[in-house]
Amino acid sequence: GSVLAMMRPTITSFKDCPTCRQLSISTDGGDSFGWGGVLGAVHPEPQLNGAVCMGSIFGDAKATYASFPNSSDVSSGGKVGRKNGVIRVSTDNAKTWTDLVGFGAETDFAYSCITDLKDHTRLGILYETGTANCVGPSCRTVFTTIPRLSETMK
């Protein structure tokens, strides 16, 4: 089967999109990765533009989900921040992405993980966020669930 890898950017990776997530695909079960038929190549995805922070990816037969700090926080002079977490979804093999659900307006959002839940109708999201009397985006860990895309389309 195919494996899609999503990597956090390094500032020197792509000058035109230094905060773009990098995607790479394996069609041999993870033995080798590449993009566009080029072994070892990665694709800077501007639709998955976000802070240089850990993110998470999960896929099923109908969709691919990505979770990470959203790039819509430009409160720090145009720099991407760690606020407004978002789950984005692709239904065309990672060619295009749309926002599926956000995590609070102006809420700190740091590392996150997506997982399948036992009933296979919802996804679990574990993420770090801020709290009162604590400075930074990693003061507490929250678990929530969202319906899978196939469930929201019923």
Side-chain angles (χ1 to χ4, degrees):
S2 295
V3 178
L4 175 66
M6 176 181 73
M7 296 143 288
R8 72 172 101 188
T10 58
I11 297 303
T12 59
S13 297
F14 297 96
K15 291 179 182 172
D16 292 338
C17 195
T19 58
C20 288
R21 291 287 171 175
Q22 299 170 24
L23 302 179
S24 193
I25 267 187
S26 171
T27 57
D28 57 15
D31 287 338
S32 62
F33 283 84
W35 193 265
V38 179
L39 187 63
V42 295
H43 167 67
E45 179 50 71
Q47 296 174 85
L48 296 179
N49 189 9
V52 181
C53 183
M54 182 263 184
S56 184
I57 195 162
F58 174 85
D60 61 24
K62 296 186 181 196
T64 303
Y65 304 86
S67 167
F68 54 90
N70 189 6
S71 62
S72 67
D73 173 32
V74 292
S75 60
S76 54
K79 292 176 72 177
V80 174
R82 289 187 175 190
K83 291 189 179 289
N84 304 327
V86 66
I87 303 296
R88 293 204 172 112
V89 64
S90 173
T91 57
D92 58 7
N93 294 316
K95 290 183 182 109
T96 60
W97 296 86
T98 57
D99 290 0
L100 179 64
V101 65
F103 292 91
E106 300 305 313
T107 300
D108 289 331
F109 185 93
Y111 287 18
S112 62
C113 295
I114 304 174
T115 189
D116 192 17
L117 296 178
K118 192 174 184 178
D119 69 1
H120 302 294
T121 64
R122 301 185 69 73
L123 295 174
I125 320 287
L126 183 71
Y127 65 99
E128 294 176 339
T129 187
T131 189
N133 301 319
C134 179
V135 178
S138 302
C139 296
R140 68 185 177 126
T141 303
V142 175
F143 180 79
T144 190
T145 66
I146 63 166
R148 288 171 89 138
L149 187 63
S150 57
E151 295 301 309
T152 60
M153 296 171 74
K154 288 182 177 177

